[in-house]
Amino acid sequence: MQELRSTDILDKEIEADAKRKAETILKRADKECEEILASVQNKINVARQEKEEFYSKKLDAFEKDLTASGPLEKQRFQVSFIQEEVIAAINKYLSALKEEDRLALVTEGFDFDVCKDKKINAYVYGFDFDAAEKLLKEKLGSALISCSKTDFGKIMIEEELGLENNQGIILEAEDKSMRARLTLVQVLGGILDNYRQELSDALFGGSL
């Protein structure tokens, strides 16, 4: 009977010891979990702060670039707008001219005497061919050996510059020693180079 009682006590002591160990393990596990969670949260906070600083710097840089480029973009837009309006006004003016007036416009500034001792081939585009050929015969006389139609930019590369109707005459010496361009593009280029500001002031009254 005494042995059974001793065994009972021993079992209870073992059970109590096991419970204490289990509680200790659980407490340690809870503490480790808390430490892990705290560590994870800390890493999240650090990562969030780093990202916030990174994007804050990005935003500051973007705002600085925007502030710096603002006046430049405004100037580019203004220049582009003025160019478009000037070209539109010139197109309107040219469309109102008679054919002979546009022919005179491209030929009046050219010294035809430089072709006097040469054999000249003429290439016409855009203009009424018969009218252009007649004018060239008057200006060049026997120096003109041929006159034919061509397309814009085929004989010589030219920028369109926004012209609605490209018209012109290319003169070329038979021996290739001379080539001259008598075109609306050339006339327009000269006008823009020399009178852009005056045209802008005339269109906008100096308000731009």
Side-chain angles (χ1 to χ4, degrees):
M1 195 67 179
Q2 184 64 36
E3 288 179 5
L4 287 172
R5 203 178 292 117
S6 297
T7 304
D8 250 354
I9 294 170
L10 185 59
D11 287 343
K12 286 179 181 179
E13 288 178 352
I14 291 172
E15 185 178 348
D17 186 55
K19 284 182 179 180
R20 282 195 299 273
K21 288 182 178 178
E23 287 173 0
T24 302
I25 291 170
L26 287 173
K27 286 180 181 178
R28 190 183 302 125
D30 286 342
K31 187 177 180 181
E32 288 177 354
C33 286
E34 287 175 3
E35 290 175 352
I36 290 170
L37 288 173
S39 174
V40 168
Q41 187 60 48
N42 184 54
K43 288 179 180 177
I44 291 172
N45 291 337
V46 170
R48 182 186 294 118
Q49 186 177 355
E50 289 176 350
K51 286 294 182 183
E52 286 175 354
E53 290 176 357
F54 173 77
Y55 286 114
S56 177
K57 289 178 181 178
K58 278 282 205 182
L59 184 60
D60 288 343
F62 175 75
E63 288 176 348
K64 286 179 182 177
D65 288 343
L66 191 62
T67 301
S69 64
L72 183 60
E73 287 302 315
K74 181 181 177 182
Q75 185 179 12
R76 285 176 180 167
F77 175 79
Q78 183 172 314
V79 169
S80 176
F81 175 74
I82 291 172
Q83 174 85 356
E84 289 174 3
E85 291 302 307
V86 167
I87 296 296
I90 290 173
N91 275 320
K92 186 176 180 181
Y93 169 76
L94 290 174
S95 65
L97 289 180
K98 295 179 181 178
E99 184 82 357
E100 57 264 32
D101 292 330
R102 287 197 295 274
L103 272 168
L105 189 62
V106 301
T107 57
E108 65 184 8
F110 181 70
D111 182 9
F112 284 91
D113 286 341
V114 299
C115 305
K116 190 164 47 180
D117 300 322
K118 300 180 183 296
K119 294 180 179 180
I120 302 295
N121 294 305
Y123 305 92
V124 179
Y125 64 85
F127 286 118
D128 177 81
F129 180 77
D130 292 335
E133 185 179 36
K134 180 182 177 182
L135 177 65
L136 290 172
K137 284 179 178 179
E138 291 173 359
K139 297 286 187 179
L140 293 170
S142 59
L144 182 67
I145 60 173
S146 75
C147 186
S148 58
K149 292 182 180 181
T150 190
D151 296 319
F152 172 76
K154 187 174 182 179
I155 303 299
M156 294 182 71
I157 296 174
E158 296 184 273
E159 292 184 49
E160 292 189 24
L161 295 182
L163 280 179
E164 291 176 355
N165 295 306
N166 285 296
Q167 296 175 302
I169 298 169
I170 308 295
L171 301 178
E172 185 178 61
E174 187 179 39
D175 61 4
K176 309 296 183 183
S177 62
M178 186 212 76
R179 181 183 281 175
R181 184 164 57 111
L182 288 61
T183 69
L184 288 181
V185 165
Q186 183 186 35
V187 172
L188 175 57
I191 290 172
L192 293 177
D193 286 344
N194 297 307
Y195 303 105
R196 190 188 303 268
Q197 189 60 52
E198 288 88 340
L199 287 168
S200 173
D201 290 345
L203 281 173
F204 304 106
S207 60
L208 289 178

